[in-house]
Amino acid sequence: SLPAKLINGGIAGLIGVTCVFPIDLAKTRLQNQQNGQRMYTSMSDCLIKTIRSEGYFGMYRGAAVNLTLVTPEKAIKLAANDFFRHHLSKDGQKLTLLKEMLAGCGAGTCQVIVTTPMEMLKIQLQDAGRIAAQKKLMAAQAQLSSSSVAGAAEPVVETRTTATQITRELLRSKGIAGLYKGLGATLLRDVPFSIVYFPLFANLNKLGQKDPNVKAPFYVSFLSGCVAGSTAAVAVNPCDVIKTRLQSLQRGVNEDTYSGILDCTKKIWQKEGPMAFLKGAYCRALVIAPLFGIAQVVYFIGIAEFLLDMLPKHRA
């Protein structure tokens, strides 16, 4: 049933995000830093520096936005894929690869309704610590190099903003379109991701089914979700880098700004080289693999069906 699908998708999203959010934060910061202004050399270096400067909970900046919106986002994605697969199949016959890809395309298109504003707000909060750390470093370097200035320079204090403040400011200045900045880049990432992910998962999961009418064991669903998720994540990582850059409202010192997808692609290629499009790829694979592995286990086990079935018995 649709309520069960929505509940399953929501539970899966909450569990997955809680487990992998620090890696997602490292991915965002690695993707946003540009040549000449590198604060972090790797995922582990980013997380260590984040804990030292912002504390343990600094790794979860922006998590509240994700935890709030990941439920409808994952629910829409998984339920939409099932919806399109059901309507593309004829009399329960096996879907062709093309139809599986079309179903994934439909799911990816539907989810951006929630994904775009969620990513927009999350990126601002995740990257704020990097920008503040960069400003502090620049101020310290300027103080050391300036021997003519007497006394200590004023410390750089980071002004922390919340998702609510960012939302209000965007709505006041740009309207609802402000929350959907980078919509084109989000579609460019999420639609190909779903086209790759859902058919790959479905076919890998079938390998573990001894009987077509019986669900595969939970560990097969988990491993299938991990493999399909990490493969699709790496495949669309260049689009994710572009999306992250376009959705960042604040820039570090001497960092480029972009007017659109083509301008962003051109500047990254010319100034940072083609390998820049793979920034954060392994982080993204580490995020997506368990996230979708957990999502598929929860979704296919059907926790919601069990809870919904228990309601009448409880009332009785």
Side-chain angles (χ1 to χ4, degrees), residues 74 77 193 197 221 225-226 229 287-297:
K74 283 290 175 289
K77 187 185 190 83
F193 177 93
Y197 172 77
S221 293
C226 288
V287 169
I288 296 297
L291 182 61
F292 277 83
I294 293 168
Q296 292 295 356
V297 169

Side-chain angles (χ1 to χ4, degrees), residues 37-115:
Q37 304 294 335
R38 294 172 63 87
M39 292 292 302
Y40 315 108
T41 58
S42 64
M43 179 186 73
S44 57
D45 180 57
C46 178
L47 293 177
I48 290 169
K49 288 179 178 176
T50 298
I51 293 173
R52 286 176 179 172
S53 61
E54 303 169 53
Y56 174 79
F57 290 105
M59 295 190 298
Y60 283 88
R61 293 182 69 170
V65 175
N66 241 35
L67 290 171
T68 302
L69 296 179
V70 75
T71 297
E73 188 254 352
K74 283 290 175 289
I76 290 172
K77 187 185 190 83
L78 296 171
N81 180 66
D82 269 6
F83 173 83
F84 288 117
R85 288 179 69 91
H86 173 72
H87 284 277
L88 286 169
S89 64
K90 292 182 179 179
D91 301 323
Q93 293 180 355
K94 181 181 177 182
L95 287 176
T96 63
L97 180 60
L98 177 60
K99 288 185 176 181
E100 287 183 333
M101 293 172 71
L102 285 173
C105 178
T109 304
C110 290
Q111 78 170 83
V112 297
I113 298 169
V114 176
T115 302

Side-chain angles (χ1 to χ4, degrees), residues 169-233:
E169 178 58 28
L170 286 171
L171 290 175
R172 185 189 64 79
S173 60
K174 298 181 180 179
I176 192 68
L179 290 173
Y180 282 86
K181 183 180 180 182
L183 174 61
T186 306
L187 279 168
L188 197 63
R189 180 198 68 174
D190 288 349
V191 172
F193 177 93
S194 295
I195 290 174
V196 174
Y197 172 77
F198 283 111
L200 183 56
F201 168 78
N203 286 283
L204 289 173
N205 198 54
K206 284 177 185 176
L207 296 176
Q209 289 180 276
K210 296 180 180 179
D211 185 337
N213 297 318
V214 179
K215 289 181 180 180
F218 78 93
Y219 61 86
V220 173
S221 293
F222 176 76
L223 291 174
S224 299
C226 288
V227 173
S230 58
T231 302

Side-chain angles (χ1 to χ4, degrees), residues 23-42:
I23 304 174
D24 186 64
L25 179 135
K27 183 221 67 157
T28 298
R29 294 189 178 186
L30 288 170
Q31 287 182 339
N32 262 336
Q33 64 179 7
Q34 300 178 20
N35 288 348
Q37 304 294 335
R38 294 172 63 87
M39 292 292 302
Y40 315 108
T41 58
S42 64

Side-chain angles (χ1 to χ4, degrees), residues 254-289:
N254 300 322
E255 289 185 344
D256 287 327
T257 56
Y258 311 102
S259 59
I261 295 173
L262 292 177
D263 180 56
C264 182
T265 304
K266 182 180 177 181
K267 286 180 178 177
I268 293 174
W269 184 278
Q270 290 178 342
K271 297 184 179 182
E272 302 175 57
M275 291 303 294
F277 291 104
L278 293 178
K279 283 184 176 181
Y282 67 95
C283 290
R284 184 163 162 74
L286 289 174
V287 169
I288 296 297

